[in-house]
């Protein structure tokens, strides 16, 4: 008899996980995701990627604003699922819901727990300069990402990885790991491991003020900051009082002495900014306030044609 699964997830990261469950032949009796939200300048009401995928397979979709409310979670418990699987769902589940399925509630989390609990583990793994991260499948509890762990897989972070590329790697790794984990879970062959809570670190959602580049940091840290926010939400600085998004930058060795944030070189494909050490950052992909995103070359051939060395970025 097929095991009945309720899947809970919202963004693109969760889609391959849902697809894998369907491909593996389990009966997905419902999908729970966040409500449709306005998107873009025209505020078009847009469904979450997981809802779009569920509707392709004619799976019933629930979109509670708050899953903690009894009227909402009782809709799920009444379905009598064998298991609930979550992946980037965005809400903590209430205890009656956690206790309902025979095989519990498990989560596919994009870090090597207990490191980087929270909503932005991919961003922080790059911003903090980690050389590896991974995916953990663990039981859900009422506390954020603190449940006992079932399985883990490591994923290397390459020098040029950014949030977009690493997101895709982890999403695929997570779906594969879940595919390997579920048969063992249903056969009761897995021994869950308690997390070492003293070693826990946290990756809270990125705030606007965290996106700003601090040019006094060393070049390696600034490079990690830029790629750790690419392609969303995107790092920024200021130039002559105007906000400028920095979509991408390259590390470059410099010998000039200057105040951090000063433009110390202009090349065909970008301009080099002094940092807190001898590693400069050449900005090659940017967006001025109210303008379209452009390459460094496009900028220097247009609005930035008069840019000169000595111009200061940041406060």
């Amino acid at each position: 008899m097929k095991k009945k699964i309720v899947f809970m997830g919202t963004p693109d990261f969760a889609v391959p996980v849902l697809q894998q469950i369907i491909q593996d032949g389990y009966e997905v009796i419902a999908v729970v995701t966040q409500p449709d939200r306005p998107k873009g300048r025209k505020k078009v009401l847009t469904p979450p990627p997981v809802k779009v995928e569920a509707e392709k397979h004619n799976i019933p979709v629930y979109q509670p604003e708050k899953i903690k409310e009894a009227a909402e979670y009782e809709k799920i418990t009444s379905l009598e699922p064998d298991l609930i699987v979550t992946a980037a769902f965005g809400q903590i589940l209430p205890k009656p819901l956690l206790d309902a399925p025979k095989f519990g509630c498990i989560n596919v989390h994009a870090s090597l727990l207990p490191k980087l609990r929270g909503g932005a583990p991919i961003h922080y793994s790059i911003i903090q300069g980690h050389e590896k991260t991974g995916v953990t499948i663990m039981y859900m509890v009422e506390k954020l990402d603190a449940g006992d762990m079932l399985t883990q897989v490591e994923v290397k972070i390459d020098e040029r990885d950014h949030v977009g590329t690493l997101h895709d790697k982890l999403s695929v790794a997570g779906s594969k790991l879940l595919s390997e984990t579920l048969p063992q879970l249903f056969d009761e062959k897995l021994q869950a491991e308690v997390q070492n809570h003293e070693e826990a670190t946290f990756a809270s959602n990125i705030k606007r003020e965290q996106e700003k580049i601090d040019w006094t940091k060393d070049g390696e840290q600034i490079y990690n900051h830029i790629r750790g926010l690419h392609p969303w939400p995107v790092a920024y600085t200021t130039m002559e009082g105007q906000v400028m998004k920095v979509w991408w930058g390259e590390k470059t060795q410099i010998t000039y002495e200057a105040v951090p944030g000063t433009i110390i070189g202009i090349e065909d494909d970008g301009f080099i900014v002094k940092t807190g050490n001898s590693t400069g950052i050449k900005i090659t992909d940017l967006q001025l306030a109210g303008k379209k995103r452009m390459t460094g070359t496009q900028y220097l051939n247009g609005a930035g044609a008069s840019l000169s060395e000595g111009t200061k970025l940041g406060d």
Side-chain angles (χ1 to χ4, degrees), residues 135-138 149-153 177-178 180-181 184 190:
V135 177
T136 303
I137 295 178
M138 85 290 188
M149 303 180 293
L150 291 164
T151 50
Q152 271 189 338
V153 62
L177 183 64
L178 183 67
E180 297 166 351
T181 300
Q184 299 178 71
L190 287 176

Side-chain angles (χ1 to χ4, degrees), residues 191-205:
Q191 182 66 45
E193 177 186 351
V194 177
Q195 293 189 41
N196 184 340
H197 301 296
E198 293 182 355
E199 293 183 356
T201 61
F202 295 89
S204 303
N205 291 334

Side-chain angles (χ1 to χ4, degrees), residues 11-315:
D12 288 321
F13 177 83
V15 173
V17 181
L18 172 60
Q19 291 171 332
Q20 188 68 56
I21 295 171
I22 296 169
Q23 183 180 323
D24 287 347
Y26 299 106
E27 184 181 2
V28 182
I29 55 175
V31 160
V32 185
T33 187
Q34 298 279 1
D36 297 1
R37 305 288 190 200
K39 267 192 159 184
R41 290 185 177 181
K42 294 184 178 179
K43 304 294 181 187
V44 177
L45 198 61
T46 305
V50 163
K51 178 182 179 181
V52 174
E53 185 64 25
E55 290 181 338
K56 289 180 186 174
H57 300 276
N58 298 315
I59 300 170
V61 175
Y62 297 82
Q63 295 181 275
E65 194 69 53
K66 293 181 180 178
I67 194 68
K68 285 186 175 182
E69 293 179 0
E72 298 293 352
Y73 69 69
E74 286 174 355
K75 294 176 186 173
I76 308 305
T77 56
S78 68
L79 300 173
E80 300 183 344
D82 295 305
L83 177 73
I84 292 176
V85 177
T86 73
F89 174 53
Q91 297 185 41
I92 292 179
L93 307 191
K95 195 166 189 315
L97 188 53
L98 293 172
D99 292 342
K102 176 183 177 183
F103 292 93
C105 299
I106 63 172
N107 182 40
V108 181
H109 182 77
S111 82
L112 297 173
L113 292 172
K115 304 296 184 187
L116 301 180
R117 297 175 179 174
I122 303 175
H123 295 78
Y124 281 84
S125 67
I126 296 177
I127 291 170
Q128 295 178 354
H130 295 190
E131 294 182 350
K132 67 178 181 182
T133 183
V135 177
T136 303
I137 295 178
M138 85 290 188
Y139 284 115
M140 297 190 72
V141 293
E142 288 185 280
K143 195 173 178 182
L144 181 68
D145 299 328
D148 295 351
M149 303 180 293
L150 291 164
T151 50
Q152 271 189 338
V153 62
E154 290 185 3
V155 173
K156 181 184 176 187
I157 301 176
D158 294 326
E159 172 73 10
R160 293 186 65 80
D161 266 330
H162 50 71
V163 170
T165 58
L166 188 56
H167 168 281
D168 292 348
K169 288 182 184 179
L170 292 170
S171 182
V172 171
S175 59
K176 183 173 182 293
L177 183 64
L178 183 67
S179 181
E180 297 166 351
T181 300
L182 289 186
Q184 299 178 71
L185 178 68
F186 290 133
D187 288 342
E188 300 182 355
K189 292 181 178 178
L190 287 176
Q191 182 66 45
E193 177 186 351
V194 177
Q195 293 189 41
N196 184 340
H197 301 296
E198 293 182 355
E199 293 183 356
T201 61
F202 295 89
S204 303
N205 291 334
I206 303 288
K207 296 178 181 175
R208 174 64 174 165
E209 58 266 28
Q210 291 175 277
E211 298 164 16
K212 191 174 185 178
I213 296 172
D214 179 356
W215 292 106
T216 65
K217 291 185 175 180
D218 67 45
E220 187 72 30
Q221 289 178 301
I222 295 172
Y223 176 67
N224 290 339
H225 181 89
I226 293 170
R227 67 193 185 109
L229 296 174
H230 176 97
W232 73 89
V234 184
Y236 76 93
T237 186
T238 56
M239 183 162 61
E240 297 175 338
Q242 300 295 312
V243 170
M244 180 176 73
K245 288 185 177 181
V246 179
W247 284 83
W248 196 251
E250 302 284 353
K251 289 186 292 183
T252 181
Q253 289 301 307
I254 56 176
T255 57
Y256 297 93
E257 287 301 323
V259 174
T262 303
I263 294 175
I264 57 172
I266 297 176
E267 300 182 353
D268 290 343
D269 59 346
F271 51 91
I272 300 168
V273 184
K274 179 72 172 68
T275 67
N277 68 352
S278 60
T279 299
I281 296 293
K282 182 165 70 174
I283 297 178
T284 58
D285 191 344
L286 58 101
Q287 184 174 10
L288 302 173
K291 304 293 184 183
K292 291 183 178 178
R293 177 182 172 182
M294 65 187 89
T295 64
T297 301
Q298 290 169 327
Y299 171 69
L300 292 170
N301 288 334
S306 61
L307 186 70
S308 60
E309 295 181 10
T311 301
K312 178 77 167 47
L313 303 188
D315 297 332

